Short mmCIF file of all heavy atoms in Angstrom, two decimals:
data_model
loop_
_atom_site.label_atom_id
_atom_site.label_comp_id
_atom_site.label_asym_id
_atom_site.label_seq_id
_atom_site.Cartn_x
_atom_site.Cartn_y
_atom_site.Cartn_z
N ARG A 68 -17.60 -7.52 7.26
CA ARG A 68 -16.20 -7.13 7.59
C ARG A 68 -15.68 -6.14 6.56
O ARG A 68 -15.02 -5.13 6.94
CB ARG A 68 -15.31 -8.38 7.60
CG ARG A 68 -13.87 -8.03 7.94
CD ARG A 68 -13.03 -9.22 8.32
NE ARG A 68 -13.45 -9.70 9.63
CZ ARG A 68 -13.77 -10.96 9.95
NH1 ARG A 68 -13.73 -11.89 9.02
NH2 ARG A 68 -14.16 -11.25 11.17
N GLY A 71 -17.10 -2.82 7.18
CA GLY A 71 -16.42 -2.19 8.34
C GLY A 71 -15.10 -1.61 7.90
O GLY A 71 -14.72 -0.45 8.26
N ILE A 72 -14.36 -2.33 7.14
CA ILE A 72 -13.06 -1.84 6.62
C ILE A 72 -13.20 -0.57 5.80
O ILE A 72 -12.61 0.45 6.11
CB ILE A 72 -12.29 -2.92 5.79
CG1 ILE A 72 -11.87 -4.10 6.68
CG2 ILE A 72 -11.13 -2.32 5.07
CD1 ILE A 72 -11.37 -5.32 5.86
N THR A 74 -15.81 1.46 5.73
CA THR A 74 -16.33 2.54 6.59
C THR A 74 -15.20 3.17 7.43
O THR A 74 -15.14 4.38 7.59
CB THR A 74 -17.47 2.02 7.43
OG1 THR A 74 -18.49 1.46 6.59
CG2 THR A 74 -18.12 3.16 8.29
N GLY A 75 -14.34 2.34 7.97
CA GLY A 75 -13.20 2.84 8.73
C GLY A 75 -12.30 3.72 7.85
O GLY A 75 -11.82 4.72 8.32
N VAL A 76 -12.04 3.22 6.58
CA VAL A 76 -11.15 4.01 5.73
C VAL A 76 -11.80 5.34 5.40
O VAL A 76 -11.17 6.40 5.43
CB VAL A 76 -10.92 3.23 4.42
CG1 VAL A 76 -10.27 4.11 3.29
CG2 VAL A 76 -10.01 2.01 4.69
N TYR A 99 1.24 -0.03 15.86
CA TYR A 99 -0.16 0.43 15.91
C TYR A 99 -0.92 -0.33 14.89
O TYR A 99 -2.12 -0.76 15.13
CB TYR A 99 -0.29 1.93 15.66
CG TYR A 99 0.29 2.80 16.78
CD1 TYR A 99 1.30 3.72 16.43
CD2 TYR A 99 -0.11 2.68 18.06
CE1 TYR A 99 1.86 4.53 17.41
CE2 TYR A 99 0.45 3.49 19.06
CZ TYR A 99 1.41 4.40 18.74
OH TYR A 99 1.98 5.16 19.74
N LEU A 100 -0.35 -0.54 13.69
CA LEU A 100 -1.05 -1.23 12.60
C LEU A 100 -1.20 -2.70 13.04
O LEU A 100 -2.30 -3.33 12.86
CB LEU A 100 -0.28 -1.10 11.32
CG LEU A 100 -0.89 -1.84 10.12
CD1 LEU A 100 -2.24 -1.32 9.81
CD2 LEU A 100 -0.02 -1.68 8.92
N LEU A 102 -1.31 -4.01 15.98
CA LEU A 102 -2.32 -4.01 17.04
C LEU A 102 -3.77 -3.89 16.55
O LEU A 102 -4.62 -4.58 16.94
CB LEU A 102 -2.00 -2.88 18.08
CG LEU A 102 -2.82 -2.89 19.39
CD1 LEU A 102 -2.56 -4.15 20.16
CD2 LEU A 102 -2.46 -1.69 20.21
N ALA A 103 -3.88 -3.01 15.55
CA ALA A 103 -5.21 -2.77 14.94
C ALA A 103 -5.67 -3.95 14.12
O ALA A 103 -6.89 -4.21 14.03
CB ALA A 103 -5.22 -1.48 14.10
N LEU A 104 -4.77 -4.68 13.44
CA LEU A 104 -5.14 -5.81 12.62
C LEU A 104 -5.34 -7.06 13.47
O LEU A 104 -6.00 -8.03 12.97
CB LEU A 104 -4.08 -6.10 11.54
CG LEU A 104 -3.89 -5.01 10.51
CD1 LEU A 104 -2.71 -5.26 9.62
CD2 LEU A 104 -5.12 -4.82 9.72
N THR A 105 -4.83 -7.12 14.69
CA THR A 105 -4.88 -8.32 15.45
C THR A 105 -6.37 -8.81 15.80
O THR A 105 -6.63 -9.99 15.62
CB THR A 105 -4.13 -8.17 16.77
OG1 THR A 105 -2.74 -7.93 16.44
CG2 THR A 105 -4.20 -9.37 17.70
N PRO A 106 -7.27 -7.94 16.23
CA PRO A 106 -8.66 -8.43 16.46
C PRO A 106 -9.32 -9.05 15.21
O PRO A 106 -9.93 -10.14 15.32
CB PRO A 106 -9.40 -7.17 16.92
CG PRO A 106 -8.38 -6.21 17.38
CD PRO A 106 -7.15 -6.49 16.54
N MET A 107 -9.10 -8.47 14.08
CA MET A 107 -9.67 -9.01 12.82
C MET A 107 -9.03 -10.33 12.50
O MET A 107 -9.72 -11.31 12.13
CB MET A 107 -9.46 -8.02 11.65
CG MET A 107 -10.16 -8.47 10.37
SD MET A 107 -10.16 -7.24 9.11
CE MET A 107 -8.40 -7.21 8.64
N LEU A 125 -19.45 -8.12 15.11
CA LEU A 125 -18.02 -8.30 15.40
C LEU A 125 -17.13 -8.14 14.17
O LEU A 125 -16.06 -7.53 14.20
CB LEU A 125 -17.70 -9.64 16.10
CG LEU A 125 -16.22 -9.86 16.58
CD1 LEU A 125 -15.85 -8.76 17.56
CD2 LEU A 125 -16.17 -11.24 17.23
N ARG A 126 -17.60 -8.74 13.07
CA ARG A 126 -16.93 -8.59 11.82
C ARG A 126 -16.77 -7.10 11.41
O ARG A 126 -15.76 -6.65 11.00
CB ARG A 126 -17.64 -9.35 10.72
CG ARG A 126 -17.59 -10.84 10.88
CD ARG A 126 -18.33 -11.54 9.72
NE ARG A 126 -18.39 -12.95 9.93
CZ ARG A 126 -19.51 -13.67 10.16
NH1 ARG A 126 -20.75 -13.06 10.17
NH2 ARG A 126 -19.47 -14.96 10.34
N PHE A 127 -17.87 -6.39 11.52
CA PHE A 127 -17.87 -4.95 11.24
C PHE A 127 -16.90 -4.21 12.10
O PHE A 127 -16.08 -3.42 11.59
CB PHE A 127 -19.28 -4.34 11.33
CG PHE A 127 -19.31 -2.88 11.03
CD1 PHE A 127 -19.45 -2.35 9.76
CD2 PHE A 127 -19.23 -1.94 12.12
CE1 PHE A 127 -19.38 -1.02 9.49
CE2 PHE A 127 -19.14 -0.59 11.90
CZ PHE A 127 -19.30 -0.11 10.58
N ILE A 128 -16.96 -4.40 13.38
CA ILE A 128 -16.10 -3.69 14.34
C ILE A 128 -14.61 -3.95 14.11
O ILE A 128 -13.80 -2.98 14.04
CB ILE A 128 -16.52 -4.00 15.82
CG1 ILE A 128 -17.89 -3.40 16.13
CG2 ILE A 128 -15.47 -3.51 16.81
CD1 ILE A 128 -18.53 -3.92 17.39
N THR A 129 -14.29 -5.26 13.96
CA THR A 129 -12.84 -5.56 13.70
C THR A 129 -12.39 -5.01 12.40
O THR A 129 -11.26 -4.57 12.22
CB THR A 129 -12.60 -7.07 13.82
OG1 THR A 129 -13.39 -7.75 12.90
CG2 THR A 129 -12.84 -7.57 15.24
N GLY A 130 -13.27 -5.08 11.36
CA GLY A 130 -12.90 -4.50 10.09
C GLY A 130 -12.76 -2.98 10.16
O GLY A 130 -11.85 -2.42 9.57
N PHE A 131 -13.65 -2.36 10.85
CA PHE A 131 -13.60 -0.87 11.05
C PHE A 131 -12.26 -0.45 11.67
O PHE A 131 -11.66 0.46 11.18
CB PHE A 131 -14.73 -0.40 11.90
CG PHE A 131 -14.80 1.07 12.10
CD1 PHE A 131 -15.48 1.88 11.18
CD2 PHE A 131 -14.17 1.68 13.16
CE1 PHE A 131 -15.48 3.27 11.38
CE2 PHE A 131 -14.18 3.03 13.30
CZ PHE A 131 -14.80 3.84 12.39
N ILE A 132 -11.90 -1.09 12.74
CA ILE A 132 -10.64 -0.78 13.42
C ILE A 132 -9.46 -0.93 12.40
O ILE A 132 -8.61 -0.04 12.30
CB ILE A 132 -10.40 -1.65 14.66
CG1 ILE A 132 -11.44 -1.33 15.75
CG2 ILE A 132 -9.03 -1.47 15.25
CD1 ILE A 132 -11.54 -2.35 16.87
N ALA A 133 -9.47 -2.06 11.74
CA ALA A 133 -8.36 -2.29 10.81
C ALA A 133 -8.33 -1.25 9.64
O ALA A 133 -7.28 -0.72 9.31
CB ALA A 133 -8.51 -3.70 10.20
N GLY A 134 -9.51 -0.92 9.08
CA GLY A 134 -9.54 -0.01 7.96
C GLY A 134 -9.22 1.45 8.41
O GLY A 134 -8.47 2.12 7.70
N PHE A 135 -9.69 1.85 9.58
CA PHE A 135 -9.43 3.16 10.06
C PHE A 135 -7.89 3.31 10.32
O PHE A 135 -7.35 4.38 9.84
CB PHE A 135 -10.18 3.39 11.36
CG PHE A 135 -9.96 4.79 11.95
CD1 PHE A 135 -10.72 5.87 11.49
CD2 PHE A 135 -9.07 5.03 12.97
CE1 PHE A 135 -10.56 7.12 12.02
CE2 PHE A 135 -8.87 6.30 13.47
CZ PHE A 135 -9.56 7.36 13.04
N VAL A 136 -7.31 2.40 11.00
CA VAL A 136 -5.89 2.57 11.30
C VAL A 136 -5.01 2.37 10.03
O VAL A 136 -4.02 3.12 9.85
CB VAL A 136 -5.47 1.55 12.40
CG1 VAL A 136 -3.94 1.54 12.60
CG2 VAL A 136 -6.20 1.91 13.68
N ALA A 137 -5.38 1.44 9.21
CA ALA A 137 -4.54 1.19 7.97
C ALA A 137 -4.52 2.44 7.08
O ALA A 137 -3.50 2.69 6.42
CB ALA A 137 -5.20 -0.01 7.19
N LEU A 138 -5.57 3.24 7.11
CA LEU A 138 -5.61 4.42 6.29
C LEU A 138 -4.43 5.38 6.63
O LEU A 138 -3.86 6.02 5.76
CB LEU A 138 -6.91 5.16 6.46
CG LEU A 138 -7.17 6.41 5.68
CD1 LEU A 138 -6.75 7.69 6.30
CD2 LEU A 138 -7.04 6.30 4.24
#
Side-chain angles (χ1 to χ4, degrees):
R68 180 166 288 128
I72 292 169
T74 302
V76 168
Y99 295 122
L100 181 60
L102 189 62
L104 294 174
T105 298
M107 187 172 68
L125 184 59
R126 291 181 186 114
F127 177 85
I128 291 167
T129 59
F131 180 89
I132 294 167
F135 182 83
V136 173
L138 182 271

